[in-house]
Amino acid sequence: MTWLDRIALFTPLDFGALALLLLGWLVIGWRIEHPATKHPSTSQIMAGFRREWMQQMITREPRIFDAQVVASLRQGTAFFASTSVIAIGGTLALIGNAERLTGIANELVLMDSPAFVWEAKMLTVALFLTNAFLKFVWANRLFGYAAVVMAAVPNDVSDPACAPRATQAAEINITAARSFNRGLRSVYFALACVAWLAGPMTLIVATIFTLAVIWRREFASNSRTILLGTDT
């Protein structure tokens, strides 16, 4: 069977559903990171708090609390990175056991599709999980960088290097959080992609649902309202 024959196993609706998934993933990520000035996302609001955190750290003695917060952030990224690896391993194991996967999947959706179709769908899930793993690992490393730069902030408030160092620490912290959030979004869309096993229409519904959940958490959640109220 040639690659053209294998591609022909998927319907136009399959390609449309997959395109919607990828487009939704890219667009919602861009919108969260580049929101309208008058309607910032929760991630953007938190970036402001991270900058304020580093400015408050300058006069905090001792700075043990700040070190503990960064350590907890690193633990969170390490947990999700480990979870992603386990999920990737499980997905690849399903792909490797294609015959059993095909039998179960065909029984669930009452279809008679060849193994390649189910392998391709699970491979898409694995790609999203792999992207999530890479983002989590990079976020973990960036939080480590932020900890080092925080340690380099002089204890003497009058030192001219104090404020610039704190600003650097804040920006690295924000970059780490951005990478962590991208990893979470990849996990969300990996879960949505699992719905493709039940057909393209199910994938479309799952994609729309995932977009709605992410949009609400970033632009219409109670936590966002609280953060805005605290900020004002």
Side-chain angles (χ1 to χ4, degrees), residues 17 20-21 192 195-196 199-212:
L20 177 64
L21 179 76
W196 196 10
M201 286 303 302
T202 308
L203 176 59
I204 292 173
V205 172
T207 299
I208 295 173
F209 177 77
T210 301
L211 289 171

Side-chain angles (χ1 to χ4, degrees), residues 26-220:
L26 294 173
V27 170
I28 194 65
W30 184 89
R31 185 61 178 171
I32 289 171
E33 296 176 7
H34 303 85
T37 304
K38 295 183 179 180
H39 196 70
S41 62
T42 301
S43 298
Q44 290 295 315
I45 297 171
M46 284 303 301
F49 278 99
R50 291 175 189 276
R51 292 187 178 96
E52 184 178 348
W53 168 23
M54 291 298 104
Q55 294 302 317
Q56 294 294 333
M57 182 198 67
I58 294 176
T59 57
R60 194 178 354 257
E61 290 294 343
R63 296 173 180 171
I64 297 175
F65 171 77
D66 307 285
Q68 290 177 335
V69 173
V70 174
S72 67
L73 292 174
R74 294 198 72 186
Q75 288 176 356
T77 56
F79 168 78
F80 279 101
S82 300
T83 303
S84 298
V85 170
I86 295 173
I88 292 170
T91 304
L92 293 179
L94 286 175
I95 295 175
N97 195 3
E99 293 183 1
R100 185 173 183 181
L101 172 64
T102 301
I104 295 175
N106 285 335
E107 290 179 4
L108 288 176
V109 299
L110 301 177
M111 295 174 59
D112 189 19
S113 299
F116 174 78
V117 172
W118 307 113
E119 290 174 350
K121 292 179 178 181
M122 293 306 299
L123 182 60
T124 305
V125 176
L127 291 175
F128 272 107
L129 292 173
T130 301
N131 182 72
F133 169 74
L134 295 175
K135 296 299 182 183
F136 289 138
V137 169
W138 183 234
N140 185 277
R141 189 167 187 178
L142 286 175
F143 279 127
Y145 291 166
V148 173
V149 178
M150 288 167 61
V153 176
N155 289 324
D156 185 2
V157 181
S158 61
D159 192 312
C162 194
R165 285 284 185 274
T167 300
Q168 286 179 314
E171 295 306 317
I172 294 179
N173 197 306
I174 291 169
T175 304
R178 185 185 304 120
S179 183
F180 180 76
N181 289 333
R182 288 175 178 176
L184 284 179
R185 286 196 296 273
S186 290
V187 172
Y188 294 154
F189 280 94
L191 293 175
C193 191
V194 173
W196 196 10
L197 294 175
M201 286 303 302
T202 308
L203 176 59
I204 292 173
V205 172
T207 299
I208 295 173
F209 177 77
T210 301
L211 289 171
V213 169
I214 296 176
W215 180 270
R216 181 189 175 280
R217 291 180 179 179
E218 288 288 342
F219 295 100

